[in-house]
Amino acid sequence: SKRSRVNITVLRRMSPSEVFDELPVTPVGPLEACELYSDGQEFIVGENGRMPEGFCGSAWHAIYTPVRVLAFGGNMPWYKEKGTAVSCCTDGLRPVVFKLERI
């Protein structure tokens, strides 16, 4: 079955202070927003469905299911826009929110 490409856009990186008034755990060192990405940065998932170069493996694992749904022509029923989803990585202290769009 043919796959569509999917565009991943970094919508927002959050620092722990944006998520919590008081941290529920003590980090080893100071934590800021995820330094692997920049807000507005884009990645393309090709027709091969592989993780884009330079993408975080943990974030990929977290968003892989909606990426796959979009790549195979599916839609998220809770969004009016077809071929679109919003998902995030599972770093509870400093999440990154991604917009996914079938292209």
Side-chain angles (χ1 to χ4, degrees), residues 43-83:
F43 297 87
I44 300 291
V45 178
E47 292 172 8
N48 63 12
R50 292 190 183 121
M51 179 177 78
E53 188 175 323
F55 206 82
C56 170
S58 293
W60 177 249
H61 182 74
I63 70 169
Y64 180 71
T65 298
V67 166
R68 222 172 121 82
V69 167
L70 296 176
F72 281 102
N75 295 299
M76 303 303 167
W78 44 89
Y79 299 127
K80 288 184 180 181
E81 298 85 0
K82 302 295 182 197

